[in-house]
Amino acid sequence: MTTEVRTIAFVLYPGLTPLDLVGPLQVLASLTQLGLPYRTITVSATTNPLPTDLPLNLSATHTYAEAPAPYALLVPGGGGPTFRAMADEELLDYLRTTSPQTELTLSVCTGSLLLAAAGLLEGRNATTHWACRHLLPRFGATPVAERWVTDGRFITAAGVAAGIDAALHVVQLLAGPEVARGVQTGIEYDPQPPLGGIDWSTVDFEQGEQWSKAMIQEGLSNHPALLAKLLD
Amino acid sequence: MTTEVRTIAFVLYPGLTPLDLVGPLQVLASLTQLGLPYRTITVSATTNPLPTDLPLNLSATHTYAEAPAPYALLVPGGGGPTFRAMADEELLDYLRTTSPQTELTLSVCTGSLLLAAAGLLEGRNATTHWACRHLLPRFGATPVAERWVTDGRFITAAGVAAGIDAALHVVQLLAGPEVARGVQTGIEYDPQPPLGGIDWSTVDFEQGEQWSKAMIQEGLSNHPALLAKLLD
């Protein structure tokens, strides 16, 4: 008897925030390293190096055309370039055609806004980076202030580092708590933020909304319809 | 008056663990994004795409020859390929010549073993991935079981995800707690591991040592002297 290997595809696009991608990818690639029947791939319009919001270029293993139909799909987020990607029809088409065939569609940070822009989160509960939660209703989604939010096949994680927590949750779903503990120990994810967790009572949501406005204007200056949808 | 911009250089080499690199890079690049006088670069033997232990290639911004002398240096770790890099004389030379001129030399995970192999940690306290702590004394370093360990200009972090905590500590050192809190909130690092932190009483250190032995054998099969130094 052969076990079918399930593909988990991580979407790359120019300007993304690498930690959104690499946190969950390091977690989920551990399934393969542990000998479980999963393989991770990275997918983009090209396999040439893509810029990110760090001094680091990333190259995917597969183009959209070459990538096998995945069991699970993950969309990372970012700042201005992620808003720009909301007008990237090739990316949105890939999400629209691929996601409905997956068992799990995941996003990290503003990656959920790309799922939303593809029309996939209408009527769904979802989350995103705290500074962008107010944008989800513009695509018919209901924002939920949780570390990750499950609705049907969708699991959307909060900002950047939340992708690590959400990915460990997915490992637990797919392979149980013992494997999830093993993966967590392997990547030594025993968080000790030097100043403790975030004290949300001190977070300036008004400033966050201003930051998101600047990102939208930077990313979508050439797309008046989307600009209006997000800012008016 | 002009403020001198301080360079923080992140070293890339084939086969590294991307989360070791990207966690601290996302944290420290936030200093630039906040308008503080720091810039991050990535440095390697080549700016061509390099393989990693994930289905993801990374390209650096600078070669060793082109990179400006950095204020701070960070060395990420990995599995077998990181042990292989202990025999990469070009990399070790870069560490040997560059580190003494830095104010801060950082490592994540088995990155500290590369600093050790370069002869930089002799007589120092240091840490590394939990499964490799027993290897530090082979290079004259004293292992300490902490999330990160400071000794002079060296800050060595524990395995993989510990780089995020250590990098936030560095932000606090360089720019104070208010900026560190801002960076942490920006990357939404409010950890909620679904199964809680690691219960170290259940971790199989014996198995970890076996894992490290396999990695050493994989990485250093062509380097009998290093192999003997690490295994005998």
Side-chain angles (χ1 to χ4, degrees):
Chain A
M1 199 181 101
T2 56
T3 310
E4 203 195 337
V5 174
R6 294 165 165 180
T7 300
I8 308 179
F10 291 70
V11 178
L12 266 59
Y13 56 88
L16 65 79
T17 292
L19 187 50
D20 287 22
L21 170 82
V22 166
L25 182 50
Q26 203 80 55
V27 168
L28 291 164
S30 302
L31 290 170
T32 313
Q33 288 155 10
L34 291 169
L36 292 159
Y38 293 89
R39 70 158 178 164
T40 49
I41 63 171
T42 46
V43 184
S44 192
T46 169
T47 57
N48 292 332
L50 300 171
T52 67
D53 71 359
L54 295 179
L56 185 72
N57 294 325
L58 307 181
S59 343
T61 54
H62 293 71
T63 62
Y64 295 134
E66 294 161 356
Y71 172 83
L73 183 67
L74 183 142
V75 187
T82 299
F83 288 103
R84 190 170 311 126
M86 292 172 91
D88 176 345
E89 285 302 327
E90 195 182 359
L91 168 60
L92 298 185
D93 274 350
Y94 177 74
L95 300 181
R96 271 187 210 110
T97 54
T98 307
S99 168
Q101 304 171 49
T102 64
E103 292 296 314
L104 278 175
T105 294
L106 317 166
S107 65
V108 179
C109 196
T110 50
S112 60
L113 296 177
L114 293 175
L115 294 175
L120 293 163
L121 294 184
E122 219 172 300
R124 303 272 187 183
N125 289 330
T127 197
T128 186
H129 191 282
W130 60 267
C132 296
R133 281 202 299 260
H134 64 289
L135 298 171
L136 284 166
R138 307 208 169 202
F139 298 97
T142 304
V144 181
E146 301 278 354
R147 194 72 176 154
W148 66 83
V149 172
T150 304
D151 188 328
R153 72 176 185 276
F154 294 93
I155 300 176
T156 54
V160 195
I164 299 173
D165 296 325
L168 283 168
H169 169 69
V170 170
V171 171
Q172 201 184 342
L173 280 182
L174 297 179
E178 204 183 335
V179 171
R181 274 199 195 88
V183 170
Q184 180 176 358
T185 305
I187 63 160
E188 213 164 333
Y189 184 51
D190 191 26
Q192 292 177 40
L195 298 165
I198 295 172
D199 176 359
W200 289 102
S201 73
T202 68
V203 171
D204 188 342
F205 282 84
E206 181 65 33
Q207 197 188 41
E209 210 163 306
Q210 288 310 309
W211 171 84
S212 75
K213 201 175 260 185
M215 294 294 110
I216 291 165
Q217 279 160 341
E218 176 199 323
L220 291 172
S221 54
N222 296 323
H223 298 277
L226 265 169
L227 207 57
K229 185 172 182 126
L230 290 171
L231 291 183
D232 289 351
Chain B
M1 201 183 97
T2 56
T3 310
E4 203 195 336
V5 174
R6 293 165 165 178
T7 300
I8 308 178
F10 290 71
V11 179
L12 266 59
Y13 55 88
L16 64 79
T17 293
L19 188 50
D20 287 22
L21 170 82
V22 166
L25 182 50
Q26 203 80 54
V27 168
L28 290 164
S30 302
L31 290 171
T32 313
Q33 287 155 8
L34 291 168
L36 292 159
Y38 292 88
R39 70 157 177 166
T40 50
I41 62 171
T42 47
V43 183
S44 192
T46 169
T47 56
N48 292 331
L50 300 171
T52 68
D53 72 359
L54 296 179
L56 185 71
N57 293 327
L58 306 181
S59 342
T61 54
H62 293 73
T63 62
Y64 295 135
E66 294 160 356
Y71 172 84
L73 183 66
L74 184 143
V75 187
T82 300
F83 288 102
R84 191 170 310 127
M86 293 173 90
D88 176 346
E89 285 301 327
E90 194 181 359
L91 167 60
L92 298 184
D93 274 350
Y94 177 74
L95 300 181
R96 273 188 208 110
T97 54
T98 306
S99 167
Q101 304 171 49
T102 64
E103 292 296 314
L104 278 175
T105 295
L106 316 166
S107 65
V108 178
C109 197
T110 51
S112 61
L113 297 177
L114 293 176
L115 294 175
L120 292 164
L121 295 184
E122 220 173 299
R124 303 270 187 185
N125 289 329
T127 198
T128 186
H129 191 281
W130 62 266
C132 295
R133 282 203 298 261
H134 64 288
L135 298 172
L136 284 166
R138 308 210 168 201
F139 298 97
T142 305
V144 181
E146 302 278 355
R147 194 73 175 152
W148 65 85
V149 172
T150 304
D151 189 328
R153 73 176 185 277
F154 294 93
I155 299 177
T156 53
V160 197
I164 299 173
D165 295 326
L168 283 169
H169 169 68
V170 171
V171 171
Q172 201 184 341
L173 280 180
L174 298 179
E178 203 183 334
V179 172
R181 273 199 196 88
V183 170
Q184 180 176 357
T185 305
I187 63 161
E188 211 163 333
Y189 184 51
D190 191 25
Q192 291 178 40
L195 298 164
I198 295 173
D199 176 358
W200 289 102
S201 73
T202 67
V203 172
D204 187 342
F205 283 84
E206 181 65 32
Q207 197 187 40
E209 210 163 307
Q210 289 309 310
W211 172 86
S212 76
K213 200 174 260 186
M215 294 293 110
I216 291 165
Q217 280 160 340
E218 176 199 323
L220 292 172
S221 53
N222 296 322
H223 298 277
L226 265 169
L227 207 57
K229 185 172 182 129
L230 290 171
L231 291 183
D232 288 353

